[in-house]
Amino acid sequence: MDKMGNCEKTDHDFPNGLMRGGKLVFMKCGHPLPCPWHTVVIDTAGPRVHIPETAGLTQPQRRKIRELAVQISDALEDE
Ligand SMILES: [Zn+2]
């Protein structure tokens, strides 16, 4: 994220950039976090995990995040 707390991933509408004046430019997403396109949300009441399709994560990465979510909710229950 940037100093304003906004998402710095590539804009979800133009993930491959777009042509501006003959140049390929990449725009930042700029959505306030949590960004609905790029932010993984772990609900501590869960484990419920929301991983946007547009987050650009591989299946192994998604599986790892789900495993972490289970660990987090287990840790919270132990307190
Ligand atoms: Zn974003």
Side-chain angles (χ1 to χ4, degrees):
M1 81 179 108
D2 64 16
K3 287 176 191 151
M4 305 295 287
N6 295 329
C7 181
E8 286 199 287
K9 299 276 188 180
T10 304
D11 191 288
H12 67 282
D13 284 332
F14 306 102
N16 300 312
L18 81 169
M19 295 303 285
R20 277 261 177 88
K23 283 185 179 171
L24 184 65
V25 294
F26 289 90
M27 295 193 299
K28 282 183 185 171
C29 175
H31 197 282
L33 295 177
C35 170
W37 293 284
H38 303 113
T39 304
V40 173
V41 175
I42 297 174
D43 186 340
T44 53
R48 280 192 295 271
V49 185
H50 175 66
I51 306 172
E53 286 300 317
T54 44
L57 297 171
T58 63
Q59 280 305 324
Q61 286 173 325
R62 289 168 182 271
R63 198 177 317 120
K64 190 78 194 170
I65 289 167
R66 291 206 170 83
E67 287 170 13
L68 285 170
V70 171
Q71 289 174 25
I72 288 168
S73 58
D74 284 352
L76 290 172
E77 276 175 18
D78 287 345
E79 287 189 357

